[in-house]
Amino acid sequence: MRIERVTSRYGLLVAACVALALVELQWANALTWDEIEFFRATRWVAEGRVPYRDYWEHHTPLQWLLFAPFAKVLGGGAGVQAVLAMRWSQLLVWVATFVLLGRLTRRVTTDAVWPLAIALSLLLSTPSFVRTAVQYRVDAVGNLLLIGALTLILARRWIAFGAVMSLAVLTNMRLAPLAILVAAGVVFDRREWLARTWKIAAGVAGVAAAFLATLFATGTWPAFVECILVYNRDANRLSGANAPPNMLLPILATPFHEGELSGIALWAIAMGGLWIALREFRRRGVLQVLALVWIAAMIVVALPGVQYDYHLQSVWLLMVPLAAVALERIAPRIPRAALIASAIVVVALVLGVVRMGTGSLGAELAYQDRIMTEADRRVPPDGRVWDGTGYALRREPAYRYWFLPSGVRLMAEAGVIERYDIRRRPPDLIVHNYRTHNWMIAFQDVGRFATSHYVPLYRNLWIPGFSTSVPTTGLHWSWTVVKSGQYDIWVSPMLAKHPWFSRPLRYALIEGPDAPLMQIPLDRLPRDVEGRVQWLVDGVAVPAGARTLVLREGSQLEMRAGPGAAVGVLVVPTGTRTLCMAPPEKFTF
């Protein structure tokens, strides 16, 4: 009866938290760069490609192998729904993770039901955690295996522990230092250290042998060394030297400066549980093991030169049993502790609903979907896209390094890897975002070619076309045609005032309410072509007054403009009616 009463009291609270998290999953949380990367790596496995050998990656592959069947069945589309389907598939991982957390909590509490329910409610109503937990990431499976390994420690199953921790590392390399620290703590036993060491080593060796055998059998070993060992070594060295300082403290402080009541409460209560565990350290029981693992997880997060919010996922999860212990211990002294914590959750949920209601729910996802589906529509199946993230889900990348983390750019700048030669391998389309922007800043020849041989259909989707501004003194300009087709000519004084023609890369960063003001409705432009501009294709003059051109890939298009008023010049695919479309919201694409 007691369990039924507690379930009825707190079950709705947990259910409400889950419901809000599912809204975050489907509508309120735009796709992140990492999600798109992991999705494409997963779907390529589903298509029969071998990681590292058949495509470049710098993460370990277990998540892609596990979810490839889901991607094959659910992830065939070109838009955001393909990736959202993987988020829903990943819920199975989270259910298993919370079941294991419940088992751990029962080992450290006398009455595990209501403290666990409140601790989980606090966690699931904390935006800092939920925001990354609902995303399709390698962290989810990695943390499931981590929590599973902790349950194996308590069951004293050392071979299985070694195997499961190895699998966690094969899912998420950032767990490797934590696996080493936890294993070192486990074998620190004066009577059993040798037996535990050999058993854990046997579990590790079994997984490592199977993985290495697969690499050698598929001829992937050299590519694995280059992608995982060499790239990550050099990229971490270069990125660490260029990383902004003090990234950890702002991330830890996120619940506080964003006013996340549940997150603040969970931190405070869990720190109480940590203090209880350390105060009773001589008992060296399950609670102390969890406390030490939590400390180790915090150390591992702090070790690298760069930290992001999703790096704290293990830390958040391990706070649940610690918070449950603290809640159970303080309940006799503060009879209304459970009620106070529940009220905090309710307020956090209300604030979450208000936040979603006052924002543009789903607008960012809708814009991403528009870019992704338009890229798929405009690029033929055998076409190629240059993209800093991988938004063109069903099209091949134009550059071997098909997404552009900072490590790729820094290594290309240092000459460690081959740069992208956009002139020799021009893409059928460019998806512009922060990563391609930084690339064009770093490699100005790429930026000049891209902004003169492509035009922004959307702010973040550049199609083949030509643009330049003609000063009053005239201009002689030439382009190499990157894609065959029929093109319309637009020459107008109004275009000369648009920022694309003077500062194209500055324009590409305009977000918020000013972005739609930059839209160019071509049909409304006053045109000025008579007697001002002469066109030549491969040296042959185009008849005066022509407003369309039929161009072949590789041809040379020349423009000679005499003196007169300043004008902007556009040559765009026939049928294009509007350029520079963008939403009024401030999105980080």
Side-chain angles (χ1 to χ4, degrees):
M1 290 296 295
R2 179 181 57 81
I3 293 178
E4 293 175 358
R5 187 171 62 252
V6 171
T7 301
S8 63
R9 184 177 300 174
Y10 297 107
L12 287 177
L13 194 64
V14 175
C17 294
V18 171
L20 193 63
L22 294 180
V23 173
E24 183 89 22
L25 181 154
Q26 180 65 33
W27 292 286
N29 197 326
L31 301 183
T32 63
W33 299 339
D34 290 348
E35 282 188 282
I36 296 170
E37 172 201 339
F38 298 147
F39 171 79
R40 293 199 69 170
T42 303
R43 191 157 78 178
W44 278 333
V45 171
E47 294 170 357
R49 304 194 202 189
V50 178
Y52 320 117
R53 188 195 70 185
D54 297 336
Y55 61 90
W56 179 80
E57 248 295 353
H58 67 104
H59 292 85
T60 42
L62 187 57
Q63 169 124 350
W64 319 327
L65 301 175
L66 292 175
F67 279 86
F70 295 98
K72 188 169 186 177
V73 175
L74 303 173
V80 298
Q81 293 303 324
V83 185
L84 294 180
M86 304 308 292
R87 289 184 178 181
W88 285 98
S89 301
Q90 194 176 249
L91 288 179
L92 298 171
V93 171
W94 283 113
V95 170
T97 300
F98 291 132
V99 168
L100 291 177
L101 272 178
R103 291 183 178 180
L104 287 176
T105 303
R106 283 198 294 270
R107 297 290 299 271
V108 295
T109 56
T110 303
D111 184 355
V113 179
W114 75 265
L116 174 63
I118 292 179
L120 279 178
S121 298
L122 289 170
L123 180 68
L124 293 175
S125 58
T126 299
S128 294
F129 172 77
V130 174
R131 187 167 50 239
T132 62
V134 299
Q135 296 165 3
Y136 178 63
R137 291 186 167 278
V138 297
D139 306 82
V141 174
N143 284 315
L144 168 62
L145 293 169
L146 170 64
I147 301 300
L150 295 182
T151 62
L152 292 170
I153 289 175
L154 304 182
R156 301 176 62 83
R157 297 175 61 180
W158 308 119
I159 296 177
F161 164 76
V164 169
M165 284 303 292
S166 299
L167 292 172
V169 174
L170 285 181
T171 306
N172 184 356
M173 287 185 301
R174 281 184 283 101
L175 290 175
L178 183 58
I180 294 171
L181 287 176
V182 173
V186 165
V187 301
F188 187 70
D189 185 281
R190 287 180 296 178
R191 292 172 297 178
E192 298 184 15
W193 71 269
L194 185 59
R196 291 185 185 184
T197 300
W198 279 110
K199 290 178 180 179
I200 293 172
V204 173
V207 172
F211 182 61
L212 291 173
T214 303
L215 292 177
F216 283 108
T218 57
T220 309
W221 173 251
F224 175 80
V225 171
E226 188 271 329
C227 292
I228 298 296
L229 303 181
V230 175
Y231 169 81
N232 284 301
R233 180 199 65 195
D234 293 342
N236 289 337
R237 174 175 55 83
L238 293 169
S239 298
N242 292 271
N246 303 320
M247 292 182 68
L248 178 60
L249 290 179
I251 291 170
L252 291 174
T254 296
F256 299 89
H257 68 68
E258 293 190 4
E260 298 177 357
L261 297 181
S262 288
I264 295 170
L266 183 58
W267 267 101
I269 298 170
M271 291 307 94
L274 181 67
W275 180 78
I276 291 170
L278 297 179
R279 184 188 62 181
E280 301 172 356
F281 191 73
R282 290 186 178 182
R283 296 184 181 181
R284 297 187 183 181
V286 176
L287 180 60
Q288 285 66 42
V289 170
L290 294 177
L292 291 177
V293 174
W294 186 90
I295 293 171
M298 280 296 302
I299 293 172
V300 168
V301 171
L303 283 178
V306 179
Q307 292 89 20
Y308 297 103
D309 50 1
Y310 54 86
H311 291 176
L312 286 175
Q313 210 173 88
S314 303
V315 172
W316 282 113
L317 289 170
L318 290 170
M319 282 197 281
V320 169
L322 294 175
V325 169
L327 285 168
E328 186 180 56
R329 297 288 186 92
I330 65 175
R333 300 181 182 180
I334 308 176
R336 297 188 179 274
L339 181 61
I340 294 170
S342 300
I344 291 173
V345 173
V346 171
V347 173
L349 290 174
V350 171
L351 292 176
V353 172
V354 171
R355 173 178 58 87
M356 293 180 182
T358 55
S360 301
L361 187 65
E364 189 167 1
L365 273 170
Y367 181 62
Q368 288 179 319
D369 189 70
R370 198 176 313 153
I371 297 300
M372 295 163 75
T373 54
E374 188 70 18
D376 189 77
R377 187 179 73 83
R378 287 183 170 268
V379 178
D382 60 346
R384 294 182 179 271
V385 175
W386 187 49
D387 182 351
T389 302
Y391 283 102
L393 299 181
R394 302 196 298 193
R395 297 297 178 261
E396 291 297 307
Y399 182 37
R400 177 175 183 252
Y401 300 94
W402 53 277
F403 62 100
L404 301 175
S406 59
V408 167
R409 187 185 75 253
L410 294 171
M411 290 176 70
E413 287 185 86
V416 177
I417 59 175
E418 178 190 9
R419 298 183 180 186
Y420 175 45
D421 189 342
I422 194 172
R423 290 182 178 273
R424 187 166 62 89
R425 299 191 301 272
D428 292 270
L429 183 141
I430 295 173
V431 179
H432 173 273
N433 72 347
Y434 182 73
R435 287 174 166 178
T436 48
H437 185 89
N438 284 344
W439 191 279
M440 287 188 274
I441 294 293
F443 303 103
Q444 296 184 15
D445 58 328
V446 175
R448 285 191 296 268
F449 187 90
T451 55
S452 62
H453 288 74
Y454 296 83
V455 293
L457 179 67
Y458 291 87
R459 178 191 60 208
N460 301 102
L461 188 72
W462 298 3
I463 60 176
F466 314 100
S467 63
T468 188
S469 59
V470 180
T472 57
T473 55
L475 181 72
H476 177 216
W477 194 263
S478 65
W479 299 269
T480 300
V481 179
V482 299
K483 188 173 183 179
S484 301
Q486 181 173 303
Y487 292 78
D488 292 337
I489 301 171
W490 299 87
V491 182
S492 173
M494 294 295 292
L495 290 174
K497 301 176 182 180
H498 194 281
W500 172 262
F501 294 87
S502 56
R503 296 170 294 173
L505 293 183
R506 285 284 299 275
Y507 156 73
L509 293 182
I510 294 176
E511 294 182 316
D514 290 339
L517 302 178
M518 300 295 107
Q519 185 170 296
I520 303 175
L522 294 174
D523 288 334
R524 299 182 187 179
L525 289 177
R527 301 176 76 161
D528 177 15
V529 297
E530 299 295 336
R532 179 75 198 280
V533 176
Q534 180 184 4
W535 296 94
L536 299 93
V537 179
D538 292 331
V540 178
V542 175
R547 296 196 173 188
T548 62
L549 300 169
V550 178
L551 303 174
R552 292 181 303 172
E553 183 177 337
S555 294
Q556 291 297 309
L557 176 65
E558 295 180 71
M559 183 200 70
R560 297 172 183 171
V567 295
V569 177
L570 281 171
V571 181
V572 300
T574 296
T576 304
R577 292 290 173 258
T578 307
L579 295 178
C580 299
M581 293 179 281
E585 293 85 7
K586 190 171 183 179
F587 299 150
T588 302
F589 202 82

